[in-house]
Amino acid sequence: MRRCAPGTTGTVDGSGRVVKSVALAGWTGLDLRGELARRLPAPVLVENDMRLAVLAEHWRGRARGHDDVVYLFTGSRLGLGLLIGGRPHRGAHTASGEIGRRSGDHWLAHRHVVDYALAAEPGEMRSQREAAEFAIERARAGDEKAVAAVRAFARHLGDGLLTVVSPLDPELVVIGGVLAEAGDLLLGPIAERFADVCLYPPPVVASTLGRECVVLGAIRWALDHAERDLFTLPA
C-alpha cells in the first residue's frame, strides 16, 4: 500500500495545507497536499518537518525507549519537535514546536558565532549555519575566542530551551541538525544550564540520524497510516 509523506516547515493543518510559514516566502496558504495529490498516484500525507524528525528519533534514534522528548533542530534555522506520551505533539492549532519570530532574543543565539566569524575573517560573508560551523571548527582547533563564542551560542540555546523544558519535564532532550556534530562543545553548556535551573535536568544528547531525520520520520508516519488502514477492522 503506497503512501507519499512529505515533511515541510511551517504550520500544517489536518487537510495538508500550510497555514503559516515564516521560513519560506510564499509558502503560507499553500495547499501542499492538494498540489501533490494532483501529480502523484499515491495518497498524500503532509506533516511538519520537526514533528517528523522527533518521530524518527523515537523510532530509530536517540529517543528510542523514551516517551516524553524535546527535539531541537539546529542549522540555518532553529526548530522544535515535541514528543509527548510517545507521539509527536501537534497542539490545538497544529502549531506545536513552531518557533516563528519570537519577541525578545531567546532564539537569536547565532549572533555569538556570527560576530566571532566576522571578527576572525572580516572579508568573508557566511550564513548563520556557516558561521556556527566555522566557529565550531576553530574551537576544536583550540581557538579560545571560538570556544567562548560556541559556548555562548550553546548557553543561549539552553536558555531558549528552558522555556519548554521546565514546564514539560521531558525525559530527554535531543539536539539534531548539522550543528549536533559539535558534540560536547554544544551539549555541555546546554546541560549546564539545565542543571542550574531545572528541578529534574533531562539528559542532553546529540542525534545520530544526521540529514536523514525528516525522511526517516516521514517513512515511519507513512507506515503508521498504512498499518492502520491494513489492520483496522471496518466498523
Side-chain angles (χ1 to χ4, degrees), residues 1 220 222-232:
M1 184 174 289
R220 180 66 264 173
L223 287 172
D224 286 346
H225 280 263
E227 289 169 359
R228 190 176 306 128
D229 292 343
L230 284 170
F231 300 115
T232 299

Side-chain angles (χ1 to χ4, degrees), residues 106-173:
H106 275 311
W107 297 100
L108 297 181
H110 284 94
R111 74 171 188 265
H112 302 288
V113 289
V114 169
D115 288 348
Y116 166 79
L118 285 172
E121 293 186 354
E124 189 71 27
M125 299 301 295
R126 293 180 172 88
S127 68
Q128 290 182 336
R129 176 185 59 79
E130 290 168 340
E133 291 176 319
F134 174 74
I136 289 167
E137 182 181 354
R138 289 292 189 92
R140 283 175 173 159
D143 184 326
E144 292 184 2
K145 291 183 178 179
V147 171
V150 173
R151 182 174 180 80
F153 170 63
R155 287 182 69 85
H156 211 140
L157 291 180
D159 285 339
L161 281 168
L162 280 170
T163 63
V164 179
V165 168
S166 292
L168 285 185
D169 184 29
E171 302 169 72
L172 186 71
V173 171

Side-chain angles (χ1 to χ4, degrees), residues 56-213:
E57 292 293 341
H58 190 242
W59 182 36
R60 292 288 181 89
R62 300 299 301 273
R64 280 181 291 186
H66 301 279
D67 286 341
D68 296 288
V69 176
V70 172
Y71 171 88
L72 174 68
F73 175 85
T74 63
S76 298
R77 63 185 178 94
L78 299 172
L80 282 176
L82 306 177
L83 190 81
I84 299 178
R87 300 297 300 171
H89 182 60
R90 306 192 83 220
H93 302 92
T94 68
S96 174
E98 282 295 300
I99 296 174
R101 293 191 177 96
R102 294 179 55 138
S103 59
D105 68 343
H106 275 311
W107 297 100
L108 297 181
H110 284 94
R111 74 171 188 265
H112 302 288
V113 289
V114 169
D115 288 348
Y116 166 79
L118 285 172
E121 293 186 354
E124 189 71 27
M125 299 301 295
R126 293 180 172 88
S127 68
Q128 290 182 336
R129 176 185 59 79
E130 290 168 340
E133 291 176 319
F134 174 74
I136 289 167
E137 182 181 354
R138 289 292 189 92
R140 283 175 173 159
D143 184 326
E144 292 184 2
K145 291 183 178 179
V147 171
V150 173
R151 182 174 180 80
F153 170 63
R155 287 182 69 85
H156 211 140
L157 291 180
D159 285 339
L161 281 168
L162 280 170
T163 63
V164 179
V165 168
S166 292
L168 285 185
D169 184 29
E171 302 169 72
L172 186 71
V173 171
V174 180
I175 309 298
V178 295
L179 301 186
E181 297 174 4
D184 285 341
L185 283 171
L186 203 64
L187 306 184
I190 294 174
E192 289 173 9
R193 289 297 294 139
F194 292 171
D196 289 342
V197 177
C198 297
L199 183 62
Y200 297 101
V204 185
V205 299
S207 172
T208 59
L209 300 181
R211 300 176 186 273
E212 303 301 319
C213 58

